[in-house]
Every structure is written in C-alpha cells, then in structure tokens.
Amino acid sequence: MSSKDDKELKEVYNIIFQEVARLLLIEKKQVQIVASTLLAQSLRLYKSSLNDDDFIRMMNSIPDSIDKIIPYDELTPEDKQTIN
C-alpha cells in the first residue's frame, strides 16, 4: 500500500468512525442496526468492485479472521490496525 493509499485509508476510517460514534452516542441508534447497515453496505461495495471469484474468496476468508477482529470499543481512530 502506498503512503497515499495509507493516508486515504486513515482519512476514510476516521470519517466513518466519527459518523458511527455520532449515530451511537448522539443519535442513540442501536448497535446491531448500525453494524448490520455497515456490513450490508460493505458487502455491496465488495460485490460491486470484485469479480465473482474474488468476492467468493473474500467471503470464504471471513471465518479465518474471527480471532483477529478487535471489539469496536477497543479501537480508536488513531489505531494503526484496520479491519478490512
């Protein structure tokens, strides 16, 4: 990943992080509703941008990531880790 891509990734991550925090903390939306909406939108983006084989490969890799996923309350926008 280039430094330009890394900068863009951090920028987008921070924007979405702030919006999720707003929805949860200010708007008092349900966590499961916010999470399911983000997941649905993410899968739709992947389905639109990947070919069928890559999409299936990505979907099949999800169970392998279970132990790598950090609870949301342990993440901050400044964390260098990302969940893709």
Side-chain angles (χ1 to χ4, degrees), residues 4-6 20 22 25-26 31 35 41-42 57 59 69 73 76 78 80-81:
K4 180 183 175 191
D5 290 342
D6 189 47
V20 167
R22 186 189 70 75
L25 300 174
I26 296 171
V31 171
Q41 292 296 323
S42 297
R57 191 170 23 261
M59 292 298 294
I69 299 172
D73 59 352
T76 65
E78 293 75 32
K80 294 183 184 208
Q81 299 177 8

Side-chain angles (χ1 to χ4, degrees), residues 3-60:
S3 62
K4 180 183 175 191
D5 290 342
D6 189 47
K7 181 180 177 185
E8 185 175 353
L9 175 64
K10 288 177 185 178
E11 178 185 343
V12 171
Y13 181 90
N14 287 331
I15 290 167
I16 293 172
F17 184 94
Q18 290 173 7
E19 182 61 17
V20 167
R22 186 189 70 75
L23 288 168
L24 296 174
L25 300 174
I26 296 171
E27 298 290 329
K28 305 293 186 194
K29 301 297 182 191
Q30 295 178 51
V31 171
Q32 291 83 1
I33 290 174
V34 174
S36 64
T37 302
L38 289 169
L39 180 59
Q41 292 296 323
S42 297
L43 293 175
R44 193 170 181 186
L45 286 166
Y46 278 123
K47 184 69 173 173
S48 298
S49 64
L50 298 174
N51 65 45
D52 288 343
D53 289 339
D54 287 342
F55 180 75
I56 291 168
R57 191 170 23 261
M58 189 268 311
M59 292 298 294
N60 288 333

